[in-house]
Amino acid sequence: MNILTIDAGTTNTRTLLWRAGAVVAQAQLETGVRNTAIDGHNGALKQALRDTIASVLASAGIAPCEVDLALASGMISSPMGVQEVPHLPAPAGLAQLAQGMQTVDLPDVLAQPLWLIPGVRNQHGAVGLHNVEAMDMMRGEETEVVALLERLQLRGAATLIMPGSHTKLISVDEQRRILGCSTTIAGELLQAITQHTLIKQSVDGGFAQTLVPKMLLAGAAAAQKTGLARACFSVRTLGQFSAVECNERANFLMGAVLSGDLLALRNSTAIQMRPDTPLVITGKPMLRQALGLLIEEHGFFYGKRIIVDDQQQANLAGHGALLIAAARGLISPQETV
C-alpha cells in the first residue's frame, strides 16, 4: 500500500509516503495553522498540503490515484486547520484514538478522503481559576506517544517529557493510555529571550552549542532562587563582568528557562507526577541531555530514566498514525513495521 501521513502543526507541515512500514519519500514546508491565524483563512495550509503531497509522490514516482490511504495529525484538526475534530477526553489510548478518527473530503488537495486523528484533553468540565492548572490539551503529540511506547515496548506507568517549541509533559498508564498532560512554552520562551531581548547581545543571538553542566545547573539554581527574570539578566552581567564564554552563558540561560519545566514536572496537578515514576525524555540532543542532567541533579526524581535516541524518535508522528489506522482496521498490522 501507498500511505500518506501528514503532520501539520502550528509552524510546519510534514508529509511522508510509507510503503510496508518504511518511509519512501518525505517533504516539509514552514507553513502551518499559524498562517491561518495571520491570513484569516486556510489557503496557505492547503497549498502546503498540495505541495508536500506532490513532492513525495514525484519522489516516489507514483500518481495521485495510486495513494491508498491518507492520514493526518496535529493542528490540522483544530478550528484553524481543515476541519475541527473535538479533543478526546483522557484517559485515551490506541483504541480511543482509532475510534475518534474522522474523515474530511478535500478535493482541491487530494482525491482520497483524509483521515484526521483527534487530539486529547485532560478530563475536566468548566475551567476557571480553581482548576485551570489541571487543564491541558494536545494535538499531534498523541500520535508520537503511541509510536514511542510501541518502539520502546514500555510497560507500566510513565511520564514522557517532549521538549520543542512547547514542552509537553505527558502521563501514561499501564494500559498505554494518555492520562493527562501539562504544557510549558519553554522553547518559545528561550527563543524569545535569546533573539528578541537585551540578552541577545550576551549570547550572540544563539543557543548553546555544547553542554556545559556547571553553567546549566547554575542557571537553573539561579532561576529557582531569585526567579527567571533575574536569572536572565545575570546572563548579561556574566557577559560584561566575567570571563565566562558565550556558549557557557547560553548554557546558563538554557538552565534558567528549563528549570521551569522541572517545576511543572514536580508540581503540576495536570499530570500528578510521583518521584518514582519512570521518565522518558525525547527531543533534540541538546535538550535531551540538558533535561536529563537537570532531573538527575534535582534530587526529587528517582525513577528510571530513559533518554530516547535519534533513531527511536525518527518519524514518530507518521508511525503513530499508522498504528492508529491499523487499530481502526484501515490497514493491516504489517503496514506498520
Side-chain angles (χ1 to χ4, degrees):
M1 295 181 69
N2 294 311
I3 305 172
L4 291 174
T5 64
I6 299 165
D7 177 19
T10 301
T11 56
N12 292 286
T13 296
R14 187 171 185 231
T15 298
L16 305 178
L17 179 65
W18 298 76
R19 191 179 298 147
V23 176
V24 178
Q26 57 184 295
Q28 179 171 317
L29 286 174
E30 291 185 1
T31 303
V33 300
R34 174 187 61 178
N35 299 83
T36 302
I38 295 172
D39 300 339
H41 58 81
N42 64 7
L45 176 61
K46 284 189 173 183
Q47 188 60 51
L49 294 174
R50 284 191 290 267
D51 290 344
T52 55
I53 291 171
S55 178
V56 297
L57 295 184
S59 295
I62 65 173
C65 62
E66 295 179 88
V67 173
D68 298 295
L69 182 66
L71 311 166
S73 62
M75 291 296 288
I76 192 172
S77 66
S78 75
M80 293 184 293
V82 296
Q83 176 174 288
E84 182 178 9
V85 179
H87 288 94
L88 297 179
L94 188 61
Q96 291 77 23
L97 290 167
Q99 186 60 36
M101 296 175 74
Q102 295 184 15
T103 58
V104 58
D105 291 320
L106 301 172
D108 55 338
V109 175
L110 73 169
Q112 299 81 3
L114 180 63
W115 284 88
L116 300 175
I117 298 170
V120 177
R121 64 175 173 83
N122 295 2
Q123 178 87 50
H124 289 283
V127 176
L129 291 178
H130 66 290
N131 67 350
V132 64
E133 201 290 309
M135 184 57 184
D136 210 293
M137 60 282 182
M138 66 181 79
R139 285 193 189 271
E141 290 85 4
E142 68 288 328
T143 58
E144 298 179 343
V145 169
V146 166
L148 192 56
L149 295 180
E150 174 65 22
R151 290 181 182 183
L152 295 176
Q153 286 296 294
L154 196 65
R155 298 288 184 265
T159 297
L160 280 61
I161 306 175
M162 308 177 77
S165 296
H166 297 165
T167 298
K168 287 286 185 184
L169 309 173
I170 303 173
S171 177
V172 298
D173 66 8
E174 295 84 354
Q175 302 175 51
R176 296 187 177 181
R177 299 181 304 173
I178 295 170
L179 297 179
C181 65
S182 181
T183 307
T184 81
I185 62 166
E188 283 192 308
L189 189 59
L190 181 59
Q191 181 181 28
I193 295 169
T194 299
Q195 298 178 348
H196 300 287
T197 71
L198 185 68
I199 308 305
K200 177 180 180 179
Q201 185 181 27
S202 301
V203 292
D204 290 343
F207 306 108
Q209 297 301 306
T210 57
L211 192 65
V212 183
K214 176 182 177 181
M215 298 303 296
L216 179 84
L217 295 172
Q224 295 290 305
K225 183 177 181 179
T226 58
L228 176 61
R230 173 60 180 160
C232 288
F233 193 80
S234 294
V235 178
R236 179 170 172 79
T237 304
L238 288 170
Q240 289 193 346
F241 301 107
S242 79
V244 171
E245 297 178 352
C246 182
N247 180 62
E248 295 176 314
R249 298 194 294 270
N251 269 266
F252 187 98
L253 178 60
M254 179 169 62
V257 173
L258 292 183
S259 70
D261 284 353
L262 267 65
L263 277 177
L265 184 63
R266 178 171 177 172
N267 297 321
S268 175
T269 57
I271 55 172
Q272 299 181 352
M273 176 75 184
R274 290 164 48 100
D276 61 345
T277 301
L279 293 171
V280 179
I281 306 172
T282 71
K284 295 180 179 179
M286 179 64 69
L287 292 177
R288 293 197 305 256
Q289 295 177 51
L291 283 166
L293 178 60
L294 289 171
I295 289 169
E296 181 180 350
E297 294 293 325
H298 191 276
F300 176 79
F301 310 99
Y302 60 84
K304 178 182 179 182
R305 286 186 295 276
I306 301 172
I307 299 181
V308 180
D309 61 37
D310 289 342
Q311 184 176 0
Q312 289 171 320
Q313 66 180 22
N315 303 321
L316 281 178
H319 186 201
L322 295 180
L323 292 169
I324 294 167
R328 177 80 183 216
L330 300 175
I331 59 175
S332 70
Q334 287 71 30
E335 296 291 341
T336 69
V337 293

